[in-house]
Amino acid sequence: MNWAKDLGNDVLIWVKAQLDQKQHEQQAYRVCLGLLNLSNKYPAQRLNNACRLANQHGLYRLKNIKEILSSNQDKLPPACSEPLSPLPQDHENIRGPHSFH
């Protein structure tokens, strides 16, 4: 848990989810160690971003984390949460219901 905390809060959340999902904590140790060993290959920030994405989408397999890292999805900017502005409804090319029979 301390090792995960040193890598980032999202890594810690992912590890806790692994420990909570298994009936016995010992069953989750191998998966958690696999994740933590990824810190030898990837920087802590990238690992934390990958875990953030996995936590948001409910991805709790080590394979998912590896795929996020190998495809560089963790480097993408977060999706814009602002709603798009509505399209104008009055324009010379827009026909109303009276144009259709």
Side-chain angles (χ1 to χ4, degrees), residues 1 3-4 7 14-15 18-19 26-40 47 62 66:
M1 297 283 273
W3 190 3
L7 293 174
W14 194 87
V15 167
Q18 288 296 315
L19 294 173
Q26 292 80 3
Q27 293 173 337
Y29 287 162
R30 188 172 193 166
V31 175
C32 293
L33 284 176
L35 173 77
L36 298 174
N37 282 329
L38 286 175
S39 66
N40 296 333
L47 197 58
L62 183 58
K66 288 179 180 179

Side-chain angles (χ1 to χ4, degrees), residues 10-19 21-22 31-32 35 38 47-71 73-74:
D10 292 305
V11 176
L12 181 62
I13 291 169
W14 194 87
V15 167
K16 283 183 180 180
Q18 288 296 315
L19 294 173
Q21 285 180 353
K22 304 292 183 186
V31 175
C32 293
L35 173 77
L38 286 175
L47 197 58
N48 194 46
N49 289 342
C51 286
R52 180 180 305 120
L53 281 173
N55 292 334
Q56 288 173 351
H57 298 290
L59 305 172
Y60 294 110
R61 296 183 64 200
L62 183 58
K63 181 179 179 181
N64 299 131
I65 299 289
K66 288 179 180 179
E67 288 173 356
I68 290 171
L69 290 167
S70 65
S71 64
Q73 292 178 25
D74 59 299

